[in-house]
Amino acid sequence: MATIYDGACRTILNDCRKLIIPVMNEIFGGTYTGEEEIRFSPNEHFLDQQDEADKERITDTNFTVFGKIPKKYHIECESSLPDGTITIRLFEYDAQIAPDEGEVTEETLTVTFLHTAVMYLRTYKKTPDKMKYVLVTPGGTLQYDVPVMKVQAYSLDDIFEKRLLMLVSFYIFSHEKSFPEYNSNGQKLGELKAEYQRILERLDELEQQGMIGAFDKRTIIDLTGDVIKEIAQKYENVQKGRKRSSGPLYCADRSGSGEKVI
C-alpha cells in the first residue's frame, strides 16, 4: 500500500531530476556528472496471474539514465520492517518489465534486468546491507546483489557534502526515536527546530550558488513538511512546531523581523 513516504520519494524523483544523479552515484558507485539525460518510464505494470485477475504492480519509479551506456534503474522507498515481501515485489516488477524491452534474434531472447535498489527510511536490526536475487535455471544458477541505501546512516554533513539532497525530506527519521522527549521537553524541541533552521540556511546557500533551483528547494521543503506531519502525528508539540501551509518547522527569522518557517 502506498504511503506518504512513497509519494514524497516519487515526487522528488520525478520533479527534481537533477537530484537523482548523486544518489545513483552513491548507491551504485557510478561516475555520472549530472548532465546526463534522464527519461522516465510508466511506473504501473500488470502482473499476469493464471486463473485470477491481473494484479497491478506500481513501482516508486523507474527511469533510464543516458550516460555513455544507457542504464535503466528501479528505485523503491521502504519504511517497513524487512520481512521478505519487498524482495518479492521488486523481482515481480523487474521480471515483468524486462521482457517488454527484450530482443529476439534467431529465436534467442535477450532481456536486460533493471539496476534495482531500495532506500530504507528506517533501519532495523533485520535491515540488510544488501539484498540478492538467485535465479536457478536449467542452464545454471545466476545471482546478483540489489543494493540497499540506509537513509538513517547519513548525517546532515554527509547529505550536503555528497549532494544527496533528496534525503533531506527524510532526515527526520533519524530523530524518530526521540519524539517522546521532544514532545515533553521544550529545550530539546528547540534544538530540533534550530537544526532545521540550519538545513534551510544550507539550502539557501546552494540556491544562491546555483547548485539547486528555487523549485527544487521549495519541493524539498514542502515534502519535508509532509513527511514530518505524517511521522510525528502522535506528538502534539512536535506537530505545533510545523506549519502545514509553509513547511515543517518554525524557525527564527535571520533578519530579526519575525518568524520564518522552513
Side-chain angles (χ1 to χ4, degrees), residues 3-200:
T3 68
I4 292 293
Y5 313 133
D6 296 325
C9 183
R10 191 176 298 121
T11 296
I12 202 165
L13 284 167
N14 282 273
D15 293 351
C16 305
R17 299 189 179 188
K18 285 193 174 182
L19 303 185
I20 297 175
I21 294 300
V23 174
M24 293 300 96
N25 285 340
E26 178 71 10
I27 294 175
F28 295 99
T31 56
Y32 292 127
T33 65
E35 299 302 318
E36 293 81 7
E37 178 189 358
I38 299 174
R39 191 177 302 165
F40 282 80
S41 301
N43 64 346
E44 299 92 1
H45 206 278
F46 287 90
L47 308 183
D48 296 329
Q49 300 190 118
Q50 190 173 13
D51 300 326
E52 294 183 34
D54 290 348
K55 178 172 61 176
E56 186 179 26
R57 171 69 70 225
I58 300 178
T59 181
D60 282 345
T61 190
N62 75 88
F63 54 89
T64 302
V65 178
F66 290 87
K68 293 181 179 179
I69 300 175
K71 291 184 179 180
K72 195 160 188 175
Y73 294 93
H74 169 202
I75 306 298
E76 289 289 327
C77 180
E78 183 67 31
S79 61
S80 302
L81 180 71
D83 61 1
T85 58
I86 187 172
T87 312
I88 295 172
R89 295 202 317 267
L90 290 171
F91 184 77
E92 283 180 338
Y93 188 86
D94 290 349
Q96 285 286 320
I97 200 171
D100 289 350
E101 299 182 3
E103 297 181 357
V104 178
T105 304
E106 297 180 353
E107 299 307 316
T108 297
L109 171 64
T110 301
V111 296
T112 301
F113 271 65
L114 290 73
H115 296 263
T116 299
V118 181
M119 293 174 53
Y120 272 103
L121 304 182
R122 293 185 175 99
T123 300
Y124 302 91
K125 289 183 179 179
K126 292 179 62 176
T127 305
D129 293 325
K130 61 183 178 182
M131 299 162 65
K132 182 176 291 187
Y133 292 159
V134 178
L135 310 179
V136 181
T137 77
T141 299
L142 169 69
Q143 64 180 33
Y144 63 94
D145 294 336
V146 175
V148 167
M149 170 178 268
K150 297 178 181 180
V151 173
Q152 288 181 309
Y154 291 86
S155 68
L156 273 182
D157 286 340
D158 292 334
I159 289 171
F160 280 93
E161 288 171 7
K162 296 184 176 185
R163 296 291 187 265
L164 305 175
L165 300 180
M166 67 169 290
L167 303 189
V168 170
S169 295
F170 304 108
Y171 176 68
I172 192 64
F173 277 87
S174 66
H175 288 281
E176 185 176 18
K177 292 182 180 179
S178 299
F179 283 170
E181 183 178 15
Y182 296 149
N183 204 55
S184 61
N185 187 319
Q187 179 179 345
K188 290 295 183 180
L189 182 59
E191 291 173 1
L192 178 63
K193 294 179 184 179
E195 185 169 43
Y196 271 84
Q197 170 65 22
R198 291 193 292 273
I199 290 174
L200 175 61

Side-chain angles (χ1 to χ4, degrees), residues 174-235:
S174 66
H175 288 281
E176 185 176 18
K177 292 182 180 179
S178 299
F179 283 170
E181 183 178 15
Y182 296 149
N183 204 55
S184 61
N185 187 319
Q187 179 179 345
K188 290 295 183 180
L189 182 59
E191 291 173 1
L192 178 63
K193 294 179 184 179
E195 185 169 43
Y196 271 84
Q197 170 65 22
R198 291 193 292 273
I199 290 174
L200 175 61
E201 292 169 352
R202 295 178 82 161
L203 291 174
D204 284 344
E205 290 173 3
L206 291 178
E207 182 186 13
Q208 291 164 10
Q209 295 165 6
M211 302 297 294
I212 61 173
F215 176 81
D216 290 346
K217 186 183 78 169
R218 188 71 251 172
T219 300
I220 292 170
I221 291 172
D222 289 345
L223 293 176
T224 300
D226 292 342
V227 171
I228 291 179
K229 180 185 176 185
E230 177 69 14
I231 196 174
Q233 59 183 300
K234 296 180 180 179
Y235 300 94

